Amino acid sequence: MEKKFKPNIVGFLCNWCSYAGADLAGSSKTQVDPSLSVIRVMCSSRVNSNLILSSLLWGADGVLVAGCHPGDCHYEQGNYYARRRFALLKKITKILNLEPDRIQLSWISASEGKRYAEIVNQFARDITKKGPNPLTRNSQT
Amino acid sequence: MAKAVKIKKKTEEGLHDFLKSLLDKEIIKGVFILKKMDKTGAVSYSLITDPEEFKKAVPLYPYMPVNAGKALANFTLLGKAEQPIAAILRPCEIRAFVELVKRTQGDFENFLIISLTCGGVLTLKTISEPDQDKLISQYWESVKKAEVFEHTREACQFCEHFLPLNADITVAAVGKKDLDEECLLFLNTPKGEKFAQEASGSSVSEEIETEKVQQLKKKREELKEKYVQQTETGETGMKSLVNVFAPCLGCHGCSHVCPICYCTLCEFDSKTLQYNADGLSSDLKRKGGLKVPSGNLLFHLGRMTHMAVSCISCGMCSDVCPVNIPVATVFSKAGKSLQKVFDYFPGKDAEEPVPGGTYKEEEFAEIGEQ
Ligand code: SF4
Ligand code: SF4
Ligand code: FES
């Protein structure tokens, strides 16, 4: 029988909200899918498109970016810019038919440990269903 | 109907004489224009101040050796032009200049911008054609008839924005049957009107968007469908994308000639995206083989996220690609879709911010909520 597919998911979490949310999920012992590898960034706006694209090309089956809710960014406007940039990248993956569902942006506050767990678990389920990312396995890229 | 001046001379000659008189009388101090080099066929943008040197200028020569928007930005990166200069640019070159000015890479001040209703430019390869003169006269015949000339760039063949924006003066070319008998200059701005007083012609009132112009627009829109379909990424997007860029040498020529790619050190030319030993072995474990030089797709996709929203579809990239990848068609297509998302038309207005440099508090509500 074939080995069950376990995805590699990269999570870029902003330090002030989503990372703290992840912490809360951990300290309140909520079950979180272990396929997410967390990278802490200072703000969701730190995540430029190359970080997401290189993740997708170099081994990730999915990429989750998470930051403070709009209006709550520690740097005031960071997540507004992040949202625009994400909309742009998402559109590119759509036009080129590059499985846009493999990338996701979510707002998760420091008090939303439960939401954090739900989002990660759902995303992990979705990506598992999609299977391995063809981009990371192509030897001609 | 628009204000214009009619000069009873061959179009290119009329324009040449007009510019020369501005230069002679020192109303302008320089002209930024295409000039023939001594070697046959070779042509280059030049900034000319000497009326004698100006004789070699060929204002409407149908080549784009560099996107002139990029070249003008080079001149004005560190400060505006101190003296009035006339610049002859194609519509997409003006738009490129506007995009660069917006990014504080150039300065619009003191330029008299002259453009034309544009029939496109010939591909750079044709410069070495032995029968180049014949090709050029065939080109002008097709411009007169408002046709799409087969040796022009693919990007020109599907360009529907060939009426210039932000030009002070527009030279009528497309669909103008009597191109060889008269030179018609549309005066779009008070500045254009002021300078045109020096032109030895008569004031008239004419239509700029003639039936012929509309015809060409339509033809080009149809061609766009066709070309874009040829690069369609279809259901298996990744596979066809890999195929489109399979011959890519990784020379980055496309980005080096791109007017929007102005970065002094391009992220993709830097070493930041190079493999370290760990990355290399983990990639090999997954792929079983590695294309060298690697990072082709990352380069093209990454570059697309940087510049496509401002892509003015000049076609420089495809024209310099040594392996004939339809870079411009792919990027222009992506650009158009992105521009729609942000309701943005690149090169329209130097005051309008770049989409990535601004935001609205209420927008893209669907993003982030899941
Ligand atoms: S010019 Fe052509 S070969 Fe060179 S990097 Fe661009 S697409 Fe690749
Ligand atoms: S690809 Fe990006 S980093 Fe490179 S020159 Fe273009 S805009 Fe700059
Ligand atoms: S600090 Fe959290 S999104 Fe900017």
Side-chain angles (χ1 to χ4, degrees):
Chain A
M1 204 181 111
E2 231 182 279
K3 238 191 3 198
K4 199 167 165 265
F5 166 64
K6 281 224 192 74
N8 265 324
I9 300 176
V10 177
F12 293 102
L13 311 185
C14 103
N15 180 55
W16 304 100
C17 288
S18 309
Y19 192 82
D23 229 13
L24 182 62
S27 53
S28 39
K29 306 229 166 10
T30 319
Q31 264 297 322
V32 181
D33 195 292
S35 37
L36 187 85
S37 312
V38 173
I39 299 176
R40 173 156 64 158
V41 290
M42 288 312 280
C43 174
S44 60
S45 62
R46 165 63 186 92
V47 185
N48 61 29
S49 49
N50 270 352
L51 288 176
I52 302 177
L53 285 171
S54 54
S55 303
L56 287 177
L57 283 158
W58 293 344
D61 297 300
V63 177
L64 176 69
V65 182
C68 317
H69 286 269
D72 292 343
C73 171
H74 195 70
Y75 308 96
E76 288 172 22
Q77 315 105 351
N79 51 5
Y80 291 128
Y81 288 111
R83 183 171 61 187
R84 279 219 147 191
R85 232 181 261 157
F86 195 83
L88 189 145
L89 182 60
K90 192 87 167 182
K91 183 73 187 180
I92 287 185
T93 56
K94 272 188 196 146
I95 344 169
L96 300 178
N97 265 313
L98 290 178
E99 309 195 2
D101 296 342
R102 289 191 187 272
I103 60 175
Q104 183 173 317
L105 173 68
S106 297
W107 310 129
I108 303 168
S109 80
S111 60
E112 294 177 322
K114 205 164 144 254
R115 178 173 156 86
Y116 172 80
E118 279 164 13
I119 283 176
V120 173
N121 294 342
Q122 185 59 47
F123 191 52
R125 274 197 297 276
D126 292 348
I127 298 294
T128 312
K129 217 191 272 156
K130 286 187 89 63
N133 174 11
L135 268 180
T136 73
R137 284 160 180 83
N138 191 297
S139 61
Q140 299 177 56
T141 59
Chain B
M1 291 293 221
K3 275 190 202 165
V5 49
K6 198 176 259 180
I7 307 170
K8 280 280 162 213
K9 263 179 200 159
K10 200 170 173 272
T11 297
E12 192 163 22
E13 205 183 306
L15 179 60
H16 194 281
D17 288 359
F18 165 50
L19 290 167
K20 181 145 183 317
S21 72
L22 289 177
L23 202 55
D24 282 338
K25 294 186 192 153
E26 294 193 36
I27 297 170
I28 51 169
K29 291 296 160 67
V31 188
F32 182 83
I33 197 164
L34 282 171
K35 191 185 95 178
K36 278 215 169 169
M37 302 283 109
D38 291 338
K39 182 174 160 39
T40 340
V43 61
S44 154
Y45 270 107
S46 298
L47 179 60
I48 302 179
T49 50
D50 178 359
E52 199 45 39
E53 177 83 5
F54 188 73
K55 284 182 184 155
K56 292 183 212 155
V58 279
L60 304 179
Y61 208 64
Y63 283 99
M64 192 187 292
V66 56
N67 183 303
K70 190 179 178 105
L72 270 195
N74 275 346
F75 280 132
T76 54
L77 172 62
L78 300 179
K80 61 174 191 190
E82 293 295 343
Q83 313 269 9
I85 292 175
I88 319 335
L89 311 183
R90 293 189 177 267
C92 61
E93 294 176 306
I94 309 178
R95 295 207 283 134
F97 191 43
V98 169
E99 285 301 300
L100 286 165
V101 169
K102 216 177 258 195
R103 291 166 168 80
T104 65
Q105 300 299 305
D107 199 313
F108 236 105
E109 221 178 299
N110 271 330
F111 282 111
L112 171 72
I113 306 277
I114 301 177
S115 192
L116 77 166
T117 56
C118 181
V121 294
L122 302 175
T123 58
L124 291 168
K125 296 199 238 345
T126 60
I127 277 192
S128 48
E129 284 280 315
D131 232 352
Q132 199 203 17
D133 286 344
K134 191 167 145 218
L135 200 63
I136 289 178
S137 66
Q138 284 170 349
Y139 165 85
W140 283 114
E141 285 313 308
S142 93
V143 172
K144 283 185 205 167
K145 290 188 226 137
E147 282 170 353
V148 174
F149 190 54
E150 56 170 334
H151 297 288
T152 51
R153 286 179 179 171
E154 193 166 295
C156 299
Q157 296 189 21
F158 64 64
C159 163
E160 70 266 48
H161 302 293
F162 56 92
L163 291 192
L165 292 174
N166 296 306
D168 298 304
I169 297 178
T170 301
V171 183
V174 165
K176 193 164 165 49
K177 287 197 301 286
D178 51 0
L179 211 57
D180 293 328
E181 286 94 55
E182 66 168 40
C183 169
L184 185 61
L185 307 177
F186 286 97
L187 314 175
N188 311 325
T189 62
K191 194 172 172 183
E193 280 178 45
K194 191 182 121 224
F195 282 94
Q197 284 167 3
E198 293 306 318
S200 44
S202 46
S203 297
V204 289
S205 188
E206 294 262 350
E207 193 61 63
I208 194 161
E209 197 161 342
T210 57
E211 221 168 278
K212 285 277 178 197
V213 164
Q214 282 161 3
Q215 255 175 41
L216 183 62
K217 228 180 228 177
K218 222 158 137 221
K219 270 185 224 162
R220 290 186 176 183
E221 272 159 17
E222 283 162 19
L223 273 176
K224 169 163 239 151
E225 293 281 307
K226 189 181 129 204
Y227 284 128
V228 163
Q229 259 164 31
Q230 283 168 5
T231 63
E232 213 47 273
T233 42
E235 283 298 305
T236 51
M238 205 274 304
K239 241 199 205 141
S240 22
L241 200 64
V242 168
N243 281 340
V244 170
F245 289 108
C248 176
L249 312 173
C251 68
H252 296 190
C254 47
S255 119
H256 294 160
V257 296
C258 173
I260 310 301
C261 275
Y262 66 87
C263 307
T264 313
L265 178 56
C266 168
E267 201 170 348
F268 304 100
D269 286 336
S270 77
K271 304 286 175 209
T272 43
L273 297 168
Q274 241 170 25
Y275 281 105
N276 56 21
D278 278 357
L280 191 60
S281 62
S282 94
D283 230 19
L284 276 171
K285 214 174 279 162
R286 261 194 335 275
K287 297 179 171 176
L290 202 59
K291 183 175 189 263
V292 180
S294 61
N296 264 354
L297 214 52
L298 181 57
F299 163 64
H300 289 294
L301 288 174
R303 189 171 95 84
M304 194 178 276
T305 66
H306 290 182
M307 50 58 66
V309 77
S310 283
C311 175
I312 42 88
S313 307
C314 62
M316 279 304 301
C317 46
S318 288
D319 211 346
V320 301
C321 180
V323 287
N324 294 330
I325 296 171
V327 196
T329 310
V330 177
F331 276 66
S332 172
K333 174 190 168 197
K336 290 272 148 68
S337 313
L338 294 174
Q339 288 151 20
K340 223 178 262 158
V341 171
F342 295 101
D343 191 19
Y344 184 71
F345 184 71
K348 188 172 70 190
D349 177 3
E351 303 299 325
E352 186 187 10
V354 189
T358 182
Y359 64 86
K360 291 193 200 111
E361 283 184 18
E362 306 290 334
E363 62 177 359
F364 304 117
E366 70 293 353
I367 291 181
E369 293 313 327
Q370 49 171 352

